[in-house]
Amino acid sequence: MRLLVLGGTQFLGRAIAASAIGLGHAVTCAARGLSGSAPPGARFVAIDRDRPDGVAGLGRERFDAAVDVARRPDQVRRARAALDGHVGH
């Protein structure tokens, strides 16, 4: 499975990404990258969800599923809108 973890460089997001890698999934961690790094085996893509075009770094990629660990509803809404049609679950 191709899994996108929004905010996968610290705390819960990093743990989810590491677990998914351990299960054999292809994991992309998308975050600012200021407070940590993606776990070994994950691909890192720099994004900034405080900007209106903040997830543009993901381009037209497709993922089977996404996990978002944001604590701000506005960031979740923007990411969901930007990724509509690019993520299965």
Side-chain angles (χ1 to χ4, degrees):
M1 175 174 36
R2 290 181 43 115
L3 178 67
L4 171 64
V5 181
L6 293 160
T9 60
Q10 193 175 25
F11 305 122
L12 180 60
R14 185 176 170 83
I16 291 168
S19 179
I21 291 165
L23 292 171
H25 301 300
V27 176
T28 298
C29 293
R32 291 179 301 163
L34 302 177
S35 58
S37 60
R43 183 176 137 235
F44 175 78
V45 175
I47 65 169
D48 184 349
R49 296 192 300 160
D50 287 333
R51 297 176 47 159
D53 64 344
V55 297
L58 294 169
R60 298 189 177 271
E61 294 188 56
R62 297 205 176 274
F63 300 94
D64 298 310
V67 176
D68 192 344
V69 297
R71 65 181 190 267
R72 291 182 34 203
D74 62 316
Q75 289 180 335
V76 176
R77 280 191 292 273
R78 276 196 304 273
R80 185 169 183 241
L83 294 170
D84 187 40
H86 296 272
V87 178
H89 298 282

